[in-house]
Amino acid sequence: MSSTPGFAPSVNARAAVLVDEVAKNADALRVSVTTGKDGERCIDLGAKVPGGLEAGRRLGEICMGGLGTVALTSASGLERWPLGVVVHSSNPVVACLGSQYAGWTITGDNNFFALGSGPARALSRVEELYKELGYVDHHHKAALVIEGDNAPPPGVASNVAAACGVKTSDLTVLYAPTGSLAGTVQIAARVLEVALHKAHSLHFDLNNIVDGYGVAPIAPPIPDFVKAMGRTNDAIIYGGRIQLFVRGSDDAAKDLAEKLPSNTCSIYGEPFADIFASVGGDFYKIDASLFSPALVTVSNLDTGSSFQAGRLAPDIVDASFK
């Protein structure tokens, strides 16, 4: 994949503008901006503050490093749950895998554990994934997104900043719980990202993915973490749809379309909370191929052919959301 600036802009530079806008409009967005004990800027979008749908929409765009748009829609594709998000990126590999994907394992004192997502990952490059992407970012500010109830404890932000090669004062940590309004929106906005991640796991040539679009319903927030995790996963697994625009052979495009949808997984068919309970609450025992959109269209720019597979499952979404 090319790291030429014209084709892969700095996700941290672009996200920094969006982060500053959130901070500047904190009162209107009902979020809070504080300074952490390491000197980092912390933005709470839903833990101890109300936050809202707009805060989550903006958080989704920050996760994508400013290389994607997230919009609210009343046409999710599900009759009973019309409220959703529309996600688009003309740089989907960098936006989704190079920035949005929650691939950075971050630990600290007092058993702190979080999966970091967002553009800071592209500065740290601690994940093996970046060797494959060939994407390198350089910027003096970094933004890290955490799905959780609290900002990192002392020491964690300093370690993150050091890994990113920035001053701790130039690091912003944004966080929102899974069951918050902002949290449920930013997770729905990962509908395109999970498709890119599965395409990568299927060894589809990422250089041939040109553009991408996705839609997913917004799960109603719920305080219970396991139920919130279930609903937000179900929104994508059973209610998400995407379209990828690719280059290459029709055989490769058709193969991707047929293998990408969630219904290709053997454990497909039950609400995610039930699947989670069946493995004793061990997330890593769940077949990773389940984490993909419900309905997939792959359009080949070289031939004009399009291939579709999968299906929406509104009945399972109903069971999960109610």
Side-chain angles (χ1 to χ4, degrees):
M1 163 171 218
S2 172
S3 57
T4 305
F7 292 97
S10 168
V11 289
N12 281 280
R14 294 182 67 86
V17 177
L18 303 180
V19 172
D20 286 346
E21 281 295 311
V22 169
K24 185 170 69 175
N25 293 283
D27 290 345
L29 293 170
R30 300 185 300 181
V31 306
S32 70
V33 183
T34 58
T35 301
K37 293 186 177 180
D38 292 350
E40 76 281 11
R41 177 169 59 175
C42 297
I43 303 183
D44 175 0
L45 294 97
K48 297 179 177 62
V49 296
L53 297 174
E54 175 62 12
R57 187 195 69 78
R58 295 191 185 207
L59 184 59
E61 293 188 339
I62 290 167
C63 284
M64 298 179 80
L67 289 179
T69 58
V70 178
L72 300 180
T73 180
S74 59
S76 74
L78 299 181
E79 182 180 358
R80 295 187 180 182
W81 308 99
L83 181 62
V85 294
V86 177
V87 185
H88 167 252
S89 177
S90 292
N91 293 272
V93 176
V94 174
C96 296
L97 298 183
S99 186
Q100 189 180 22
Y101 173 59
W104 187 0
T105 301
I106 299 171
T107 58
D109 294 337
N110 299 318
N111 296 316
F112 177 80
F113 172 88
L115 291 176
S117 64
R121 295 175 49 241
L123 292 177
S124 72
R125 291 176 58 86
V126 297
E127 302 160 49
E128 290 293 317
L129 176 62
Y130 284 94
K131 294 180 181 177
E132 298 180 55
L133 298 181
Y135 175 65
V136 180
D137 193 17
H138 300 284
H139 195 60
H140 67 283
K141 290 187 176 182
L144 179 74
V145 177
I146 291 175
E147 184 184 333
D149 299 327
N150 298 289
V156 173
S158 294
N159 292 337
V160 168
C164 293
V166 302
K167 298 178 182 177
T168 309
S169 57
D170 286 329
L171 169 67
T172 300
V173 179
L174 305 100
Y175 61 100
T178 307
S180 65
L181 277 167
T184 194
V185 173
Q186 77 88 9
I187 297 172
R190 295 178 181 271
V191 61
L192 181 60
E193 176 245 296
V194 297
L196 267 290
H197 185 258
K198 189 167 181 179
H200 172 254
S201 69
L202 292 170
H203 305 293
F204 185 82
D205 188 348
L206 298 180
N207 291 296
N208 286 338
I209 300 178
V210 178
D211 215 312
Y213 161 94
V215 184
I218 295 173
I222 187 169
D224 183 285
F225 169 71
V226 173
K227 291 181 179 179
M229 179 177 62
R231 287 181 175 185
T232 52
N233 275 286
D234 290 335
I236 293 174
I237 295 169
Y238 299 110
R241 64 188 196 273
I242 62 99
Q243 184 167 6
L244 296 180
F245 298 87
V246 305
R247 295 197 180 278
S249 71
D250 275 348
D251 285 345
K254 182 181 180 181
D255 185 65
L256 178 63
E258 292 176 347
K259 292 180 178 177
L260 203 54
S262 54
N263 68 352
T264 60
C265 180
S266 61
I267 59 173
Y268 170 95
E270 297 292 334
F272 184 82
D274 293 345
I275 295 173
F276 186 68
S278 72
V279 295
D282 187 342
F283 190 86
Y284 295 101
K285 288 184 178 179
I286 299 173
D287 184 344
S289 68
L290 179 68
F291 301 103
S292 50
L295 182 62
V296 170
T297 301
V298 178
S299 297
N300 189 345
L301 297 175
D302 288 336
T303 66
S305 301
S306 289
F307 306 93
Q308 292 184 316
R311 62 181 183 273
L312 299 180
D315 54 331
I316 299 179
V317 176
D318 284 348
S320 174
F321 283 13
K322 289 182 178 180

